[in-house]
């Protein structure tokens, strides 16, 4: 049985100082915990953290609807009303925090949101999921001119072949991910959290399993970090430290940047996010580096290997390049919307890892077999936009006071991963509509871009 918690005396060890780890440290520090330590191989922002990014979509909230805008269509771990409640509550609270929390509000840009699809089946699925109506602020887009008119002249110059979409001008936009992540970590540190980073002293090689419990973690330099509670927020690397019973599938996505001129940065400022669920998405350029980020849309890449026990596992690795096939998809996307940029060289590119649960609901729970271990995992591709509040829920799980419906949704649930379909696209579209294998990408099939960030 785990020892009782006391904010003044209990020691909390957080493995991972990325999006969820930094958010957890911030919320625990705000609750008065005095002994918080985070371990990570990299200083914040980590070079391999999914949160170390110039921008992420915040698709907005709408309290009138019970539609889950981020889960794959028709897949739930529990009763549908529970899942809808959890999704909407989380998104509403996160959006409010982006607007009002002084740590995060400077990095939220309420520029609006365009969501679209091209294939008739995808259009139908998108409309069913979004349920866009004029009453909820959506304007339907059916022609190339209607898409072009959502942005200043000269931005959208493509023909939008077969596109249908909806534009919501308020209540949605994008957030500056890297700056928000750094702000969360900086505030947590100001409130007393200790960040231990580096390839030896911050690199966790194993958890400390003793007497049926987890007592802390060991780092590359051989040191043991013991604590009353260990919180595992290691993202796609979490399965390397704990047997998740196939509940996590590390999956990678791809992004690229295009260098923009000063004039283009001005023209593209305050643009709505444009997201085609089959083609990709882009947001306004980052004013610091003067680069426009775009992503090609697809169900993801895995890096499959066989473990010593014969099980199948996807093992993440860092790479500041993307497969040439991904570059081709990104340029095809540009040809449909902004052909004047389609052949411009990429200034930066990388693969970005996340960990998918079988239904893309989070895994935030105390471990049923290790009383002192708390899990913050399974972001499933939609974890960053919740950084202002997600650490509070992880803290609630640690303290045993997580809301009932969230407990059910985010519970430890290995039964949902029995005979898991590792090729499940999980409601995602794009490319050939299949999960791809990075083992099939040869050494000469990657971009060759000198990183500039």
């Amino acid at each position: 049985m785990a020892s009782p918690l006391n904010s003044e005396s209990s020691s909390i060890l957080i493995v991972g100082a990325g999006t969820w780890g930094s958010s957890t440290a911030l919320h625990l520090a705000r609750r008065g915990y005095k002994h918080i330590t985070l371990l990570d191989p990299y200083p914040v922002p980590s070079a391999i953290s999914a949160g170390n990014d110039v921008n992420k979509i915040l698709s907005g909230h709408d309290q009138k609807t019970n539609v889950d805008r981020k889960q794959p269509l028709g897949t739930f771990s529990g009763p549908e009303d529970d899942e809808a409640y959890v999704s909407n509550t989380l998104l509403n609270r996160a959006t409010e925090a982006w607007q009002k929390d002084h740590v995060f509000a400077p990095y939220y840009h309420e520029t609006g949101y365009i969501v679209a699809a091209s294939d008739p089946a995808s259009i139908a699925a998108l409309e069913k999921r979004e349920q866009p109506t004029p009453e909820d602020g959506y304007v339907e887009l059916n022609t190339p001119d209607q898409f072009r008119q959502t942005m200043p002249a000269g931005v959208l110059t493509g023909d939008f072949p077969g596109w249908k979409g909806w534009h919501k001008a308020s209540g949605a936009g994008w957030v500056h991910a890297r700056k928000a992540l750094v702000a969360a970590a900086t505030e947590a540190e100001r409130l007393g959290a200790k960040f231990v980073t580096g390839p030896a002293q911050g690199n966790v090689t194993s958890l400390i399993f003793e007497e049926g419990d987890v007592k802390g973690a060991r780092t590359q330099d051989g040191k043991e970090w013991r604590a009353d509670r260990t919180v595992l927020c290691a993202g796609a690397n979490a399965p390397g430290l704990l047997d998740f019973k196939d509940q996590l599938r590390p999956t990678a996505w791809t992004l690229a940047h295009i260098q923009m001129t000063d004039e283009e940065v001005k023209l593209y400022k305050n643009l709505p996010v444009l997201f085609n669920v089959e083609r990709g998405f882009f947001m306004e350029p980052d004013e610091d580096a003067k680069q426009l980020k775009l992503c090609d849309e697809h169900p993801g890449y895995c890096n499959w290997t066989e473990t010593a026990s014969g099980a199948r596992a996807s093992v993440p690795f860092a790479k500041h390049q993307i497969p040439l096939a991904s570059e081709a998809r990104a340029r095809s996307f540009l040809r449909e919307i902004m052909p004047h940029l389609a052949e411009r060289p990429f200034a930066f590119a990388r693969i970005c890892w996340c960990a998918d649960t079988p239904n893309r609901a989070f895994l935030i729970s105390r471990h049923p077999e290790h009383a002192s271990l708390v899990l913050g995992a399974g972001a499933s591709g939609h974890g960053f936009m919740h950084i202002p509040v997600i650490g509070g829920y992880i803290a609630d799980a640690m303290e045993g006071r997580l809301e009932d419906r969230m407990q059910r949704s985010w519970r430890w649930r290995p039964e949902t991963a029995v005979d898991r379909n590792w090729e499940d696209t999980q409601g995602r579209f794009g490319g050939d509509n299949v999960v791809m294998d990075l083992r099939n990408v040869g050494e000469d099939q990657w971009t060759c871009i000198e990183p500039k960030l």
Side-chain angles (χ1 to χ4, degrees):
M1 183 175 180
S3 58
L5 283 169
N6 182 294
S7 61
E8 292 288 332
S9 60
S10 295
S11 56
I12 312 297
L13 181 68
I14 302 174
V15 178
T19 301
W20 284 19
S22 293
S23 178
T24 302
L26 173 60
H27 280 270
L28 288 173
R30 284 177 167 178
R31 294 184 186 189
Y33 283 85
K34 303 300 184 184
H35 306 282
I36 306 165
T37 302
L38 297 93
L39 302 175
D40 199 287
Y42 298 90
V44 179
S46 165
I48 62 172
S49 171
N52 186 359
D53 198 356
V54 293
N55 44 35
K56 301 283 190 184
I57 297 173
L58 182 63
S59 59
H61 66 141
D62 185 352
Q63 297 181 10
K64 294 181 180 179
T65 181
N66 276 336
V67 177
D68 183 345
R69 301 185 188 279
K70 288 296 173 184
Q71 301 281 40
L73 302 178
T75 55
F76 299 97
S77 65
E80 184 168 334
D81 59 342
D82 274 5
E83 294 300 324
Y85 168 82
V86 168
S87 177
N88 285 334
T89 299
L90 184 61
L91 191 54
N92 288 342
R93 291 174 181 171
T95 303
E96 182 178 15
W98 280 112
Q99 295 167 336
K100 297 180 180 180
D101 189 319
H102 71 93
V103 171
F104 301 102
Y107 311 113
Y108 172 43
H109 300 262
E110 190 178 358
T111 58
Y113 174 65
I114 298 165
V115 63
S118 304
D119 179 79
S122 300
I123 291 171
L126 178 63
E127 187 165 12
K128 178 181 178 181
R129 184 179 73 186
E130 294 286 330
Q131 294 186 4
T133 65
E135 292 76 18
D136 292 333
Y138 288 90
V139 175
E140 189 171 310
L141 307 173
N142 291 296
T143 69
D145 279 343
Q146 288 173 339
F147 279 97
R148 295 184 196 119
Q149 289 168 10
T150 63
M151 300 189 189
V155 175
L156 299 178
T157 58
D159 292 331
F160 295 84
W163 282 49
K164 180 175 181 175
W166 293 268
H167 178 206
K168 186 173 184 177
S170 62
W174 64 276
V175 296
H176 199 298
R178 182 190 304 121
K179 291 179 180 179
L181 172 57
V182 170
T186 300
E187 180 68 2
E189 191 169 34
R190 187 188 72 81
L191 293 174
K194 179 183 179 182
F195 287 73
V196 179
T197 62
Q201 63 268 35
N203 184 22
V204 173
T205 56
S206 66
L207 301 178
I208 299 173
F209 292 93
E210 288 181 0
E211 300 173 351
D213 202 356
V214 169
K215 302 294 187 179
R218 296 184 182 90
T219 46
Q220 185 70 48
D221 59 1
K223 183 172 181 177
E224 290 190 350
W225 298 82
R226 292 178 175 265
D228 295 310
R229 295 291 187 278
T230 301
V231 185
L232 184 57
C233 292
N237 292 304
L241 298 172
L242 179 74
D243 183 2
F244 277 85
K245 310 293 184 183
D246 291 340
Q247 291 176 89
L248 298 186
R249 182 188 71 184
T251 310
W253 281 269
T254 42
L255 64 88
H257 293 183
I258 292 175
Q259 196 67 48
M260 308 292 277
T261 66
D262 290 342
E263 292 74 18
E264 287 171 332
V265 171
K266 292 178 183 177
L267 178 65
Y268 284 57
K269 187 174 177 59
N270 295 325
L271 297 184
V273 174
L274 187 150
F275 177 30
N276 183 304
V277 298
E278 301 164 86
R279 301 292 192 260
F281 61 87
F282 85 96
M283 286 162 270
E284 68 175 272
D286 171 42
E287 288 187 326
D288 298 329
K290 296 183 174 61
Q291 293 178 356
L292 180 145
K293 169 191 158 184
L294 67 148
C295 295
D296 61 308
E297 194 67 14
H298 52 75
Y301 284 94
C302 290
N303 181 41
W304 291 117
T305 188
E306 188 174 294
T307 67
S309 64
R312 192 178 186 189
S314 176
V315 180
F317 62 92
K319 196 173 185 69
H320 280 187
Q321 309 293 339
I322 58 175
L324 293 177
S326 178
E327 178 182 5
R329 287 190 296 268
R331 296 195 183 281
S332 177
F333 171 53
L334 285 172
R335 291 186 190 101
E336 294 190 6
I337 62 168
M338 297 186 291
H340 57 286
L341 297 180
E343 307 308 320
R344 191 172 295 190
F346 288 164
F348 175 80
R350 74 163 174 143
I351 55 175
C352 181
W353 290 90
C354 199
D356 284 341
T357 63
N359 73 332
R360 292 177 64 193
F362 300 154
L363 178 48
I364 297 174
S365 171
R366 289 184 292 185
H367 195 285
E369 297 175 9
H370 309 300
S372 300
L373 178 62
V374 182
L375 306 173
S380 301
H382 59 108
F384 186 87
M385 67 179 173
H386 305 301
I387 185 176
V389 298
I390 198 67
Y393 292 110
I394 296 171
D396 285 347
M398 185 186 79
E399 294 176 340
R401 56 191 185 96
L402 192 62
E403 294 179 42
D404 287 346
R405 282 186 279 193
M406 290 174 177
Q407 280 190 46
R408 288 195 292 269
S409 177
W410 299 341
R411 70 191 186 279
W412 176 262
R413 48 191 191 277
E415 71 280 0
T416 67
V418 174
D419 297 325
R420 182 171 182 177
N421 175 12
W422 295 109
E423 275 68 48
D424 185 3
T425 60
Q426 299 193 301
R428 299 181 175 110
F429 305 95
D432 293 328
N433 290 313
V434 297
V435 176
M436 297 164 284
D437 189 348
L438 287 169
R439 294 178 304 173
N440 297 329
V441 181
E443 291 185 8
D444 61 347
Q445 295 176 318
W446 293 85
T447 57
C448 186
I449 303 165
E450 190 68 28
K452 296 180 180 180
L453 291 182

